[in-house]
Amino acid sequence: MAYVALCGLCRGSGYITVIVEDKEEIKQCWLCESKGERTLKNQAEVDKSVGCFDAGHAHIETIASYKDKGLTGDPKDQGWYLHDGRGTVQGFYCD
């Protein structure tokens, strides 16, 4: 039996933001092939995925704070901002 899980890289949108030569570019997610989800083949893969997601989210909460500037309603005004001021967290990869 196959299971479906939200993609940990694009968080279900099918797209990611990457920085190329100091410019943000929207790219299709290569992990889920822009489907927004991944098919997990068995319960062991499900358990591994859930554990990775929990660990990744806990790490993000340690190194960053979620801020919703809410000034324009633009999603670019929301995100996980690193505590050291270097930028934002774009996601994490679970293999």
Side-chain angles (χ1 to χ4, degrees):
M1 176 176 190
Y3 302 88
V4 177
L6 188 69
C7 178
L9 185 59
C10 68
R11 297 183 182 162
S13 72
Y15 299 92
I16 59 171
T17 303
V18 295
I19 306 294
V20 179
E21 296 180 6
D22 295 330
K23 292 178 80 177
E24 285 188 2
E25 293 185 12
I26 306 296
K27 301 285 185 182
Q28 292 184 314
C29 181
W30 58 83
L31 182 60
C32 68
E33 298 175 344
S34 294
K35 296 176 191 166
E37 57 191 28
R38 298 178 60 201
T39 301
L40 306 173
K41 298 177 182 115
N42 53 48
Q43 187 62 44
E45 286 189 9
V46 171
D47 294 343
K48 181 180 176 184
S49 179
V50 168
C52 178
F53 184 81
D54 289 346
H57 191 69
H59 180 67
I60 287 174
E61 288 181 334
T62 301
I63 64 169
S65 297
Y66 186 80
K67 296 179 183 172
D68 182 356
K69 297 178 185 175
L71 302 174
T72 63
D74 186 339
K76 289 183 179 180
D77 286 341
Q78 304 169 9
W80 287 93
Y81 288 81
L82 294 169
H83 295 306
D84 64 10
R86 290 182 298 151
T88 61
V89 175
Q90 298 298 315
F92 55 89
Y93 175 76
C94 290
D95 185 21

